[in-house]
Amino acid sequence: MFAEERHRLITEAVETHGKVSVAELSERFAITRETVRRDLALLETDGLLRRVHGGAVGLAAASTREQSHSDRSTLHAEAKQAIARAAQQLLPSAGGSIMLDAGTTTAELAGLIAQQGGEDTLVITHALPIAARISANPQLALEFIGGRVRGLTSAATGAGTVTAYARLRADLAFVGTNALHADFGLSTPDPLEASVKAAMVASAQRVVVLADATKHDELTLVQFATLDQVDTLVTDRAPAGALAAALEAADVDVVLA
């Protein structure tokens, strides 16, 4: 196989799977790992991928890259809906105080909560799309945590938002994440968003993370929680390898949607 054809196939693999490893490519093309590394270096120079330890990822996987709420709402919609339905089963039957983080999967859950109702339920959120869904049901109590709203995520951020969450002790928090990693835990690209998420995690008596399988084994710029701060992970595919072992070691209950 000519190098040009190999480079095309490597690029296609990155576009399809999001990442490739040196070991996998070496075995697939029956070439040395050093040759694979040279190929990846050339492709990175051409702006077709980004090298990371052990392989390469697509350019969209940069640690600071973040999509808007509207863009993310159309991605992996079926998985997010299934996760939201599974998360709904974790809601306390007696009501109580529930924090809902910003995000498209938590927004799906907010829609289910709004349909379900519950006079004894207080929903606390800093996300405008979620507040809009919850406020549609007059039976539900809604507390909106204010701050400076980021246009990209339609969520309040800033010192005031963090302080408001720090003064609460909610029964349950449903938290979204951009990435879930065995060593780095939960992370998100923006420091302001990370501060709010960290405050929610610290303020809740029980923390449930909602994350579809595309977040598994990923890293973004800012860590906001370690795995041992999480009680339950709701996801659409069982974590594998190092992530599965780390979740078990941290005593995280994994619920499959």
Side-chain angles (χ1 to χ4, degrees):
M1 179 183 295
F2 292 112
E4 291 79 3
E5 175 67 8
R6 190 170 66 243
H7 293 171
R8 182 184 65 81
L9 293 173
I10 291 173
T11 303
E12 289 179 355
V14 171
E15 291 175 349
T16 301
H17 303 292
K19 57 186 176 182
V20 292
S21 75
V22 171
E24 291 170 351
L25 295 176
S26 175
E27 181 177 353
R28 176 180 177 182
F29 298 117
I31 56 178
T32 66
R33 296 191 179 193
E34 185 58 35
T35 300
V36 173
R37 293 188 184 96
R38 285 197 297 268
D39 285 348
L40 297 181
L42 288 171
L43 292 170
E44 183 179 46
T45 300
D46 290 340
L48 297 173
L49 48 75
R50 182 168 59 87
R51 285 187 295 167
V52 296
H53 180 71
V57 298
L59 296 179
S63 65
T64 56
R65 180 177 172 82
E66 189 175 9
Q67 293 174 303
S68 69
H69 180 89
S70 59
D71 287 343
R72 286 184 288 118
S73 64
T74 61
L75 295 174
H76 316 292
E78 292 185 4
K80 293 175 181 179
Q81 292 164 6
I83 290 170
R85 289 192 296 269
Q88 185 183 20
Q89 303 306 310
L90 303 178
L91 292 168
S93 58
S97 53
I98 301 167
M99 292 176 175
L100 286 181
D101 188 18
T104 51
T105 308
T106 48
E108 290 287 347
L109 177 59
L112 297 176
I113 293 174
Q115 294 173 15
Q116 178 177 313
E119 294 182 356
D120 298 323
T121 299
L122 167 65
V123 177
I124 306 162
T125 188
H126 61 292
L128 290 173
I130 289 175
R133 294 193 180 197
I134 296 298
S135 64
N137 185 339
Q139 289 185 327
L140 291 168
L142 170 65
E143 180 170 342
F144 183 75
I145 305 295
R148 177 167 292 186
V149 176
R150 290 186 74 214
L152 193 65
T153 58
S154 298
T157 60
T161 313
V162 172
T163 300
Y165 272 123
R167 290 174 177 166
L168 301 175
R169 285 297 179 269
D171 297 317
L172 180 62
F174 290 98
V175 180
T177 184
N178 295 77
L180 184 64
H181 192 271
D183 299 321
F184 200 55
L186 287 69
S187 59
T188 194
D190 184 74
L192 293 175
E193 296 269 3
S195 296
V196 175
K197 289 175 181 290
M200 294 181 71
V201 169
S203 299
Q205 297 185 55
R206 184 183 177 197
V207 177
V208 178
V209 174
L210 309 183
D212 64 74
T214 63
K215 314 294 177 57
H216 296 183
D217 302 307
E218 295 296 328
L219 290 165
T220 52
L221 185 62
V222 188
Q223 182 196 68
F224 66 86
T226 58
L227 293 182
D228 58 10
Q229 292 178 284
V230 175
D231 296 289
T232 304
L233 167 66
V234 184
T235 186
D236 59 316
R237 190 176 70 208
L243 178 58
L247 289 166
E248 184 176 1
D251 199 25
V252 177
D253 182 29
V254 178
V255 175
L256 295 182

